[in-house]
Amino acid sequence: MKKKITISEVVERPIKAVIFGDNGYARGVCGRILQKANDENNINANAVMIRDNPGDKNIRQFNRFNLLFKRGAKETLMDVNCINEIIDGFNDYNRLSALADNSEITTVLWAPEKKNWINPDGTIKNTNDNLLAQLTMMLFRRFCLEMHGFEVILLLNEDHNGEVLKGEIIEYAHARGLNMDFINWLTMEVNFINAFVETRVGAQKIDAELTINVERYFLCVFDKESNLLKNAKFIAVDEELSGYYTLRTHIYEGALCSACAYSLLHEVLTLDAFMFREKLVKQMTVSVFEEIVPVINVNFQTAQAYTVEMLQRFEDASVTVKWRDYAENLGDKFKKSIIPVIKNFYKLYEKFPKHLVFALFCTLKLYSVMNINDGFSTKLKISKNILKDKTLWGEDISYLQNDLEAFEKKVK
């Protein structure tokens, strides 16, 4: 393994980007993209990173950090030296706002940890203590200075969230009384780029330097070309990202959903450990290859190749999934990733996919024996008829009653 890099001065380059988020994911994805583009494509660009949440000014700021890649016993490091500084916009708003004045800054990489600008009722907070407000006011200052806008690259894996973020900015602008000229400028001058990112980011180790475990596998697809990153060959451009989202939602998340409860009920705590339990992992592989892949709207060969690669990634212990963490809101994940597949499978074969139905049985059993304190659990406890409850599943799934009862008898 290469010698670790200690925190020191960054490599001098022009500041051309702002990264919203200083969490592990933002560092492992945004930092990786920008560093890789500098190292391989010489884009000659640094960034300023904006903190996710209000922080103590005395907390050490890691503007230079390491990404650690593992493969078996082999370890390599990427020295991320392209972050000039970390700005806490909650405590130093003037420094944040002044970034809008820099005409060399053309790009915003958007990867906050949480949507801290949404009220419990789903409306936008009309306050300045959130990242959406900070981005909006940066844009408004840019507008007032009669400058060009930014390209905003959405690096969170949410389906086509560019339009969502744009709508949230407009809603906040209306709430703060910003004029229609600004909103028209926003529509004309700000280019929202959706991205699909496929990689796993693990734990952060804070010692003399900040080190973050990341997966070697890295797939990055933009729906439009980025002016800043257009020469980066590791970024693909495909205006239609729906196929990638389908793969992730139904194959990647579907595989994890089908195995999570089954694994925990057998007291297997991590994904990589599960992958080496042959009798257990068969439940996952059959669910994906025989029940999910045949019915989703993606090229069959593409889906199969994606699945094979995914299962190999699951065996890598360098960045793994802790099942107890994944089990949070497992029911909601099941509703999104598995229930549509069960319906499509029945339409195609006139029978229900037994391994996915068994995964549902295990999920309900897990909620009954383990204290999972999440929103789904709360709804489950007050439900009068679990399978008919549309607030749980989005629809009535009582058509699975007989199959679930059959599994109950087998277990007894």
Side-chain angles (χ1 to χ4, degrees):
M1 184 176 79
K2 295 180 182 178
K3 185 179 179 181
K4 287 187 176 181
I5 305 297
T6 55
I7 300 302
S8 60
E9 293 297 319
V10 298
V11 175
E12 290 296 327
R13 305 181 188 94
I15 299 174
K16 297 181 181 180
V18 178
I19 299 173
F20 275 86
D22 70 332
N23 56 79
Y25 176 84
R27 291 172 182 270
V29 173
C30 301
R32 182 174 182 173
I33 288 173
L34 198 57
Q35 189 65 45
K36 196 172 172 70
N38 277 312
D39 293 345
E40 297 180 7
N41 303 99
N42 194 30
I43 67 166
N44 195 33
N46 275 4
V48 172
M49 188 169 268
I50 311 301
R51 297 191 69 174
D52 294 84
N53 297 299
D56 186 337
K57 290 185 178 181
N58 295 320
I59 293 177
R60 187 174 182 182
Q61 297 299 307
F62 292 92
N63 64 306
R64 187 165 180 173
F65 54 94
N66 300 285
L67 300 182
L68 175 61
F69 305 88
K70 296 181 181 180
R71 179 170 291 165
K74 184 180 180 182
E75 297 183 349
T76 55
L77 285 169
M78 175 186 285
D79 168 28
V80 179
N81 55 43
C82 57
I83 309 299
N84 272 57
E85 62 176 331
I86 315 292
I87 293 179
D88 184 346
F90 303 97
N91 292 317
D92 197 348
Y93 178 75
N94 289 335
R95 283 176 66 207
L96 169 70
S97 180
L99 295 173
D101 301 3
N102 186 342
S103 60
E104 285 195 274
I105 296 178
T106 60
T107 302
V108 169
L109 304 178
W110 183 257
E113 189 171 29
K114 295 179 180 178
K115 277 196 167 188
N116 62 0
W117 54 90
I118 304 293
N119 290 313
D121 63 358
T123 58
I124 303 297
K125 288 182 180 178
N126 184 15
T127 59
N128 61 4
D129 59 344
N130 62 76
L131 292 188
L132 182 79
Q134 293 173 9
L135 174 58
T136 304
M137 297 315 293
M138 274 185 63
L139 290 167
F140 185 70
R141 180 159 170 161
R142 197 92 162 182
F143 158 74
C144 292
L145 293 170
E146 298 184 354
M147 297 172 66
H148 291 297
F150 301 111
E151 57 179 23
V152 181
I153 303 176
L154 285 295
L155 286 159
L156 297 177
N157 277 323
E158 300 172 356
D159 296 9
H160 299 287
N161 58 4
E163 287 303 310
V164 173
L165 181 64
K166 180 179 177 181
E168 290 171 344
I169 291 172
I170 290 173
E171 185 177 341
Y172 180 80
H174 280 306
R176 296 306 295 264
L178 305 183
N179 59 44
M180 281 301 300
D181 287 340
F182 166 66
I183 294 172
N184 292 333
W185 174 91
L186 181 78
T187 302
M188 297 294 295
E189 287 286 343
V190 181
N191 183 25
F192 291 91
I193 299 175
N194 294 294
F196 176 86
V197 178
E198 185 80 300
T199 193
R200 288 181 291 162
V201 178
Q204 301 185 54
K205 181 182 178 183
I206 301 176
D207 39 34
E209 60 282 313
L210 181 67
T211 302
I212 304 168
N213 286 359
V214 290
E215 185 182 16
R216 286 181 181 274
Y217 180 87
F218 189 72
L219 173 64
C220 186
V221 187
F222 291 174
D223 70 348
K224 302 174 188 174
E225 188 173 73
S226 160
N227 289 325
L228 178 64
L229 301 167
K230 62 184 177 183
N231 294 320
K233 295 180 175 58
F234 62 91
I235 297 172
V237 177
D238 186 342
E239 66 180 17
E240 184 49 70
L241 295 182
S242 60
Y244 297 96
Y245 291 125
T246 298
L247 289 172
R248 181 170 181 87
T249 298
H250 298 299
I251 295 183
Y252 183 88
E253 295 294 345
L256 295 178
C257 284
S258 71
C260 180
Y262 192 50
S263 188
L264 285 171
L265 291 171
H266 283 83
E267 299 182 347
V268 180
L269 303 182
T270 62
L271 171 59
D272 58 294
F274 174 83
M275 293 302 295
F276 291 97
R277 294 284 294 271
E278 185 177 346
K279 291 184 178 179
L280 300 185
V281 80
K282 184 178 179 182
Q283 157 69 15
M284 174 198 281
T285 55
V286 174
S287 295
V288 177
F289 278 112
E290 298 184 9
E291 297 177 347
I292 297 178
V293 169
V295 302
I296 61 173
N297 187 26
V298 176
N299 177 271
F300 184 75
Q301 285 75 23
T302 300
Q304 278 201 320
Y306 177 91
T307 303
V308 170
E309 200 164 44
M310 175 193 73
L311 294 174
Q312 292 172 346
R313 294 167 57 206
F314 283 175
E315 294 178 3
D316 186 352
S318 59
V319 182
T320 191
V321 173
K322 295 180 180 178
W323 286 125
R324 188 62 185 82
D325 294 338
Y326 190 81
E328 184 176 350
N329 287 310
L330 179 59
D332 289 326
K333 295 170 184 174
F334 205 97
K335 175 177 69 174
K336 181 178 180 180
S337 297
I338 302 296
I339 295 299
V341 172
I342 291 176
K343 291 171 59 181
N344 289 339
F345 191 93
Y346 185 82
K347 289 178 183 177
L348 192 61
Y349 299 108
E350 296 186 348
K351 62 179 181 179
F352 295 116
K354 64 179 182 179
H355 291 85
L356 292 179
V357 176
F358 178 67
L360 173 61
F361 169 78
C362 291
T363 299
L364 292 173
K365 185 66 67 177
L366 183 70
Y367 273 100
S368 70
V369 300
M370 182 178 285
N371 182 25
I372 304 176
N373 187 22
D374 61 21
F376 189 86
S377 176
T378 301
K379 292 186 287 185
L380 197 65
K381 289 174 183 176
I382 62 174
S383 179
K384 295 180 180 179
N385 190 318
I386 290 173
L387 296 183
K388 289 187 176 182
D389 194 336
K390 294 181 180 180
T391 64
L392 289 171
W393 314 108
E395 59 183 278
D396 181 344
I397 61 167
S398 58
Y399 50 79
L400 299 174
Q401 180 76 45
N402 292 339
D403 297 71
L404 293 171
E405 288 177 352
F407 283 124
E408 184 68 45
K409 290 178 181 178
K410 286 183 180 180
V411 169
K412 288 183 178 179

